[in-house]
Amino acid sequence: MRILLVEDEAKVSNFVARGLTEERFAVDVAADGKSGLDLATTYHYDLIILDLMLPVLDGSQVLRRLRTDNVQVPVLILTARDAVADKVGNFEAGADDYLTKPFAFAELLVRIKALLRRGPVSRSSVVRVADLELDRLAQQVRRAGKRIDLTAKEFSLLEYLMSNAGRVLSRTMIIEHVWDHSFDGITNIVDVYVRHLRGKVDDAFDPKLIRTVRGVGYSIGHGAQP
Ligand code: CA
């Protein structure tokens, strides 16, 4: 099993590389994002351990480039940051697991083994509901092949609905996911944005995809009624 470790802190990378070698993994080390990306796209690895704060190209950029190039190797993010927004962003960009520094080697090893057992998963940056298509990486939306321009909030709202197609999402769930937890603005904000969204993705098309579930919230799915 061959592992690529992309980490600029020599202390951490020595400690991890030594531990992995003792566990009989073959380990290549890159000390910046660009050389990490070069190695990752040149050789075949079973797993990549990727730090986020890296010189030249940061870990998030490396991850996005890999996934855009369709490199499906499992990626474990290693980082000092533990902000929820970072985690969500990197999972959406195609990270498979996340470990916050400082960590015990034993914990890293458990996660590595779990990822290796699972192997590469096919993941796509594109979600589809009927003829509506949303590309998370390119941040583009099309319906029936026609490009639709959305604001950042409309895009997040649609992404959340489409990632949960067929499920009913309450206004509270939507607010917590699309806005942030401290949001305390007008309570009908969700209805206002859903109306904008319908105007763009549903009004000129059939069937209508966004469904209102009275007293509960919203859902998107095939053959939904307005
Ligand atoms: Ca670093």
Side-chain angles (χ1 to χ4, degrees):
M1 290 284 189
R2 190 167 183 187
I3 295 181
L4 172 63
L5 170 63
V6 191
E7 165 63 86
D8 60 318
E9 269 172 81
K11 225 175 84 185
V12 179
S13 79
N14 289 340
F15 148 79
V16 172
R18 199 172 50 236
L20 291 175
T21 309
E22 279 167 15
E23 293 291 323
R24 297 169 188 261
F25 289 105
V27 186
D28 289 343
V29 179
D32 68 80
K34 169 135 192 350
S35 22
L37 185 65
D38 288 346
L39 283 172
T41 47
T42 307
Y43 301 101
H44 172 82
Y45 292 98
D46 298 290
L47 181 101
I48 296 176
I49 302 172
L50 181 64
D51 185 31
L52 275 194
M53 306 279 261
L54 289 169
V56 193
L57 206 61
D58 73 32
S60 298
Q61 290 171 299
V62 173
L63 178 62
R64 269 170 222 279
R65 294 267 276 272
L66 284 175
R67 296 313 186 211
T68 309
D69 287 354
N70 216 21
V71 178
Q72 300 297 349
V73 56
V75 172
L76 188 152
I77 297 275
L78 212 60
T79 184
R81 296 184 201 172
D82 63 351
V84 175
D86 284 342
K87 271 190 201 177
V88 171
N90 285 298
F91 275 125
E92 281 171 355
D96 296 277
D97 201 0
Y98 209 103
L99 192 56
T100 305
K101 293 178 193 172
F103 55 86
F105 182 76
E107 176 163 18
L108 175 66
L109 192 60
V110 165
R111 290 174 185 236
I112 287 173
K113 288 184 172 168
L115 287 176
L116 290 174
R117 263 198 307 275
R118 201 186 69 187
V121 268
S122 94
R123 57 171 84 63
S124 163
S125 67
V126 178
V127 265
R128 282 188 191 84
V129 173
D131 58 352
L132 178 63
E133 192 178 284
L134 177 144
D135 187 328
R136 296 186 172 107
L137 288 182
Q139 303 261 303
Q140 282 183 6
V141 174
R142 286 173 193 277
R143 178 138 190 209
K146 264 202 245 166
R147 172 89 183 263
I148 293 172
D149 288 316
L150 299 181
T151 64
K153 274 281 174 272
E154 290 164 356
F155 184 90
S156 313
L157 173 60
L158 184 62
E159 182 186 15
Y160 184 50
L161 287 168
M162 289 179 74
S163 310
N164 293 282
R167 278 184 64 198
V168 179
L169 304 172
S170 71
R171 290 176 177 76
T172 309
M173 287 163 78
I174 293 173
I175 285 179
E176 284 182 358
H177 192 91
V178 178
W179 282 267
D180 60 46
H181 293 265
S182 59
F183 180 85
D184 59 356
I186 49 169
T187 50
N188 69 341
I189 186 95
V190 174
D191 307 284
V192 171
Y193 273 85
V194 167
R195 201 178 317 132
H196 292 166
L197 204 52
R198 277 185 164 138
K200 294 182 178 180
V201 307
D202 261 350
D203 282 1
F205 303 92
D206 273 310
K208 310 300 176 202
L209 297 173
I210 300 172
R211 188 164 63 104
T212 305
V213 182
R214 250 174 240 300
V216 187
Y218 295 97
S219 154
I220 197 166
H222 304 259
Q225 301 300 314

